Amino acid sequence: MPGESPLIGSVLVANRGEIACRIFRTCRELGIRTVAVHSDADENALHARVADATVRLPGAASGDTYLRGDLIVRAALAAGADAVHPGYGFLSENAGFARAVMDAGLVWIGPSPEAIEAMASKTRAKQLMGLKPLTGVTEADLPVLVKAVAGGGGRGMRVVRQLAELDGALEAARAEAHSAFGDGEVFVEPYVEGGRHIEVQVLADTHGTVWTLGTRDCSLQRRHQKVIEESPAPGLPEALTAELHALAVRAARAVDYTGAGTVEFLVGEDGRAHFLEMNTRLQVEHPVTEAVFGIDLVALQIRIAEGGALETLESGPPRARGHATEARLYAENPAKGWTPQTGVLHRLAVPQSPDTRLDTGYADGDTIPVHYDPMLAKVVVHAPTRAEALRKLAGALERATIHGPITNRDLLVRSLRHEEFTTARMTTGFYDRHLAELTHPTPDPYAPLAAALADAHGRSRFGGWRNLPAQPQVKRYATADGEEHEATYRHTREGLTAETEGVRVVHADASLVVLEVAGVQRKFEVTRYADQTHVNNTTLIPLPRFPAPTAQHAPGSLLAPMPGTVVRLAQGLAAGAPVQAGQPLLWLEAMKMEHKITAPTTGTLTALHARAGQQVEVGMLLAVVDPT
């Protein structure tokens, strides 16, 4: 149509992993050529494999690669790209990067640099909405939230409940924000207890049209990062929904916004809405909006970047239908402080249906690196009602095949079935209240036996000369939480038999074991890898008959719980210093998150092996505290 820009022929995605793969999928459907950038750690990553062309960014750390706007612009020009899509995270809300892209003669698939600047600073965004950050914090203001001015994803955020903790929280937030976004500026705002995190999707073109595409509830969060999201937000009064839509349009028009964006709010127990920020990019949870409205937000982003008008696509905003829910599948151990996990993802498969969607940046056999966010995939379902969507998503996750590092799969399934969530009474403090019960281990008691029987299948045969009964065989396994289990079985003329009372072996081969327990036959699918055995949803680590000697550490030793980088040490920390139990000693950065390492006991720091900037592996000795 007249006034439109030339169509985009090639797009470089300035990102990695799941979001890069997702954008490439739409580009392929539109006939657009794709270009990926990749760090050295991502040389064989899925997003690099599926792109039409790739450009290397030397190094592994984000600061040397995906946060280097100059290298990415150079890569786009070298690859002959017409446009750059930033995805989310990294440089997606960096006005300087957007300008550099445009100054190079490339199309920027996103809002104007001026709109990004206005809203990327949360303090300036609040000013635009008539709000002010909190200054001169007193006891009466507590609790408060320390928050990074730039970026998002929960990084650079700290809840402060005691005034004495404020200075430390400010220092920690500044350091984390600077590491994640290159900007260490932070501010303080009131912390809304018992609130729900609600957001509104906006879409605006260059012709003055602004759409609001419903609401999303993102209240289930860990470390201020969303875990489960849904659309529409359940149980909101019509008047409040209308108010949120109006505020979202007001925010978009205040900065002459174009493209896809999200306006975020906290809704308190009193029903009042508190403006949080505007994210000037695509959100991780955008698929639930796409499912409910039957649209492709990335395609619309591209259409808007080409100068297209929304009003020519529809008579108005599309109508919502049904309910959609999304769960983020992370390689992490929720029971141990959400510790991120690395290693080989042997297998990832989710039962497919027309209303089930899997967005991932990994394929079977890929290695999960330590340098980036530990999200493996997003599983999204759509159904006529919320109850059906929750049931369907829980079922899909429960039946998913996930072989590799520990994940939050069990937590997700239990969360989706938790009475507080199913009745839409959840708040942002959901995991603070329920994490212990949601992560309580419930191992399948028959999984070790099934693993042992599958392993034993075909290993022994009786000759005609043997008529003595076989001796019981014992195999030992450890579960993901470290508990050890034994399985005892026998080889007989009739085949393998269990030594467990009340259990009959119906069938056993290398990949399938069927046990009859109390008259009910149960199937166990068994898959073995070099380092682990998977029995249905249970991960088992085979243990040797005679354990090898292990390294001995002195009492009070602090070992690295994950691979990562020592970001900083506590001020003045040195060998010989007295420490208190729970006192922060150092901070590790792993997979884009900071993890505080505290003193295990009150005593004296007798050894300090860690130093700022040091790369550490799991189990490495960091420090020793001699108990008093």
Side-chain angles (χ1 to χ4, degrees), residues 532-543:
Q532 55 189 215
T533 298
H534 291 266
V535 182
N536 293 346
N537 288 343
T538 300
T539 301
L540 298 171
I541 312 299
L543 299 175

PDB file of all heavy atoms in Angstrom, residues 532-543:
ATOM      1  N   GLN A 532      23.523 -41.744  33.659  1.00  0.00           N
ATOM      2  CA  GLN A 532      22.247 -41.767  34.362  1.00  0.00           C
ATOM      3  C   GLN A 532      21.273 -42.719  33.683  1.00  0.00           C
ATOM      4  O   GLN A 532      21.421 -43.042  32.499  1.00  0.00           O
ATOM      5  CB  GLN A 532      21.641 -40.358  34.456  1.00  0.00           C
ATOM      6  CG  GLN A 532      21.482 -39.678  33.122  1.00  0.00           C
ATOM      7  CD  GLN A 532      21.091 -38.214  33.223  1.00  0.00           C
ATOM      8  OE1 GLN A 532      20.344 -37.714  32.403  1.00  0.00           O
ATOM      9  NE2 GLN A 532      21.608 -37.505  34.221  1.00  0.00           N
ATOM     10  N   THR A 533      20.278 -43.137  34.469  1.00  0.00           N
ATOM     11  CA  THR A 533      19.197 -43.972  33.965  1.00  0.00           C
ATOM     12  C   THR A 533      17.884 -43.278  34.254  1.00  0.00           C
ATOM     13  O   THR A 533      17.663 -42.782  35.364  1.00  0.00           O
ATOM     14  CB  THR A 533      19.202 -45.354  34.651  1.00  0.00           C
ATOM     15  OG1 THR A 533      20.427 -46.010  34.350  1.00  0.00           O
ATOM     16  CG2 THR A 533      18.040 -46.209  34.168  1.00  0.00           C
ATOM     17  N   HIS A 534      17.003 -43.219  33.253  1.00  0.00           N
ATOM     18  CA  HIS A 534      15.698 -42.571  33.424  1.00  0.00           C
ATOM     19  C   HIS A 534      14.607 -43.637  33.405  1.00  0.00           C
ATOM     20  O   HIS A 534      14.535 -44.438  32.473  1.00  0.00           O
ATOM     21  CB  HIS A 534      15.461 -41.538  32.322  1.00  0.00           C
ATOM     22  CG  HIS A 534      16.351 -40.347  32.436  1.00  0.00           C
ATOM     23  ND1 HIS A 534      15.976 -39.196  33.094  1.00  0.00           N
ATOM     24  CD2 HIS A 534      17.617 -40.142  31.994  1.00  0.00           C
ATOM     25  CE1 HIS A 534      16.966 -38.327  33.047  1.00  0.00           C
ATOM     26  NE2 HIS A 534      17.977 -38.877  32.388  1.00  0.00           N
ATOM     27  N   VAL A 535      13.802 -43.642  34.444  1.00  0.00           N
ATOM     28  CA  VAL A 535      12.671 -44.563  34.551  1.00  0.00           C
ATOM     29  C   VAL A 535      11.417 -43.710  34.651  1.00  0.00           C
ATOM     30  O   VAL A 535      11.155 -43.093  35.685  1.00  0.00           O
ATOM     31  CB  VAL A 535      12.809 -45.475  35.779  1.00  0.00           C
ATOM     32  CG1 VAL A 535      11.652 -46.462  35.832  1.00  0.00           C
ATOM     33  CG2 VAL A 535      14.145 -46.206  35.765  1.00  0.00           C
ATOM     34  N   ASN A 536      10.646 -43.659  33.559  1.00  0.00           N
ATOM     35  CA  ASN A 536       9.527 -42.722  33.466  1.00  0.00           C
ATOM     36  C   ASN A 536      10.038 -41.325  33.815  1.00  0.00           C
ATOM     37  O   ASN A 536      10.922 -40.826  33.149  1.00  0.00           O
ATOM     38  CB  ASN A 536       8.365 -43.166  34.356  1.00  0.00           C
ATOM     39  CG  ASN A 536       7.728 -44.457  33.848  1.00  0.00           C
ATOM     40  OD1 ASN A 536       7.974 -44.889  32.718  1.00  0.00           O
ATOM     41  ND2 ASN A 536       6.926 -45.094  34.684  1.00  0.00           N
ATOM     42  N   ASN A 537       9.529 -40.696  34.889  1.00  0.00           N
ATOM     43  CA  ASN A 537       9.966 -39.351  35.240  1.00  0.00           C
ATOM     44  C   ASN A 537      11.034 -39.329  36.323  1.00  0.00           C
ATOM     45  O   ASN A 537      11.351 -38.261  36.857  1.00  0.00           O
ATOM     46  CB  ASN A 537       8.771 -38.512  35.708  1.00  0.00           C
ATOM     47  CG  ASN A 537       7.857 -38.138  34.565  1.00  0.00           C
ATOM     48  OD1 ASN A 537       8.252 -38.224  33.409  1.00  0.00           O
ATOM     49  ND2 ASN A 537       6.648 -37.725  34.870  1.00  0.00           N
ATOM     50  N   THR A 538      11.574 -40.474  36.681  1.00  0.00           N
ATOM     51  CA  THR A 538      12.568 -40.542  37.748  1.00  0.00           C
ATOM     52  C   THR A 538      13.972 -40.669  37.157  1.00  0.00           C
ATOM     53  O   THR A 538      14.221 -41.520  36.303  1.00  0.00           O
ATOM     54  CB  THR A 538      12.296 -41.742  38.669  1.00  0.00           C
ATOM     55  OG1 THR A 538      10.985 -41.604  39.245  1.00  0.00           O
ATOM     56  CG2 THR A 538      13.323 -41.809  39.780  1.00  0.00           C
ATOM     57  N   THR A 539      14.867 -39.814  37.632  1.00  0.00           N
ATOM     58  CA  THR A 539      16.263 -39.871  37.210  1.00  0.00           C
ATOM     59  C   THR A 539      17.069 -40.590  38.280  1.00  0.00           C
ATOM     60  O   THR A 539      17.013 -40.239  39.465  1.00  0.00           O
ATOM     61  CB  THR A 539      16.837 -38.462  37.008  1.00  0.00           C
ATOM     62  OG1 THR A 539      16.056 -37.775  36.024  1.00  0.00           O
ATOM     63  CG2 THR A 539      18.286 -38.527  36.539  1.00  0.00           C
ATOM     64  N   LEU A 540      17.824 -41.586  37.870  1.00  0.00           N
ATOM     65  CA  LEU A 540      18.634 -42.379  38.790  1.00  0.00           C
ATOM     66  C   LEU A 540      20.091 -42.363  38.338  1.00  0.00           C
ATOM     67  O   LEU A 540      20.377 -42.432  37.138  1.00  0.00           O
ATOM     68  CB  LEU A 540      18.137 -43.822  38.848  1.00  0.00           C
ATOM     69  CG  LEU A 540      16.707 -44.040  39.347  1.00  0.00           C
ATOM     70  CD1 LEU A 540      16.292 -45.485  39.139  1.00  0.00           C
ATOM     71  CD2 LEU A 540      16.592 -43.650  40.820  1.00  0.00           C
ATOM     72  N   ILE A 541      20.980 -42.283  39.308  1.00  0.00           N
ATOM     73  CA  ILE A 541      22.420 -42.343  39.024  1.00  0.00           C
ATOM     74  C   ILE A 541      22.924 -43.710  39.487  1.00  0.00           C
ATOM     75  O   ILE A 541      22.897 -44.000  40.700  1.00  0.00           O
ATOM     76  CB  ILE A 541      23.192 -41.235  39.763  1.00  0.00           C
ATOM     77  CG1 ILE A 541      22.498 -39.876  39.565  1.00  0.00           C
ATOM     78  CG2 ILE A 541      24.640 -41.210  39.313  1.00  0.00           C
ATOM     79  CD1 ILE A 541      22.405 -39.421  38.146  1.00  0.00           C
ATOM     80  N   PRO A 542      23.345 -44.589  38.584  1.00  0.00           N
ATOM     81  CA  PRO A 542      23.874 -45.886  39.017  1.00  0.00           C
ATOM     82  C   PRO A 542      25.104 -45.711  39.895  1.00  0.00           C
ATOM     83  O   PRO A 542      25.992 -44.904  39.591  1.00  0.00           O
ATOM     84  CB  PRO A 542      24.235 -46.580  37.691  1.00  0.00           C
ATOM     85  CG  PRO A 542      23.451 -45.857  36.640  1.00  0.00           C
ATOM     86  CD  PRO A 542      23.349 -44.448  37.113  1.00  0.00           C
ATOM     87  N   LEU A 543      25.146 -46.448  40.988  1.00  0.00           N
ATOM     88  CA  LEU A 543      26.267 -46.377  41.909  1.00  0.00           C
ATOM     89  C   LEU A 543      27.093 -47.646  41.808  1.00  0.00           C
ATOM     90  O   LEU A 543      26.555 -48.744  41.633  1.00  0.00           O
ATOM     91  CB  LEU A 543      25.770 -46.202  43.350  1.00  0.00           C
ATOM     92  CG  LEU A 543      24.950 -44.939  43.627  1.00  0.00           C
ATOM     93  CD1 LEU A 543      24.432 -44.952  45.057  1.00  0.00           C
ATOM     94  CD2 LEU A 543      25.790 -43.693  43.381  1.00  0.00           C
TER      95      LEU A 543
END
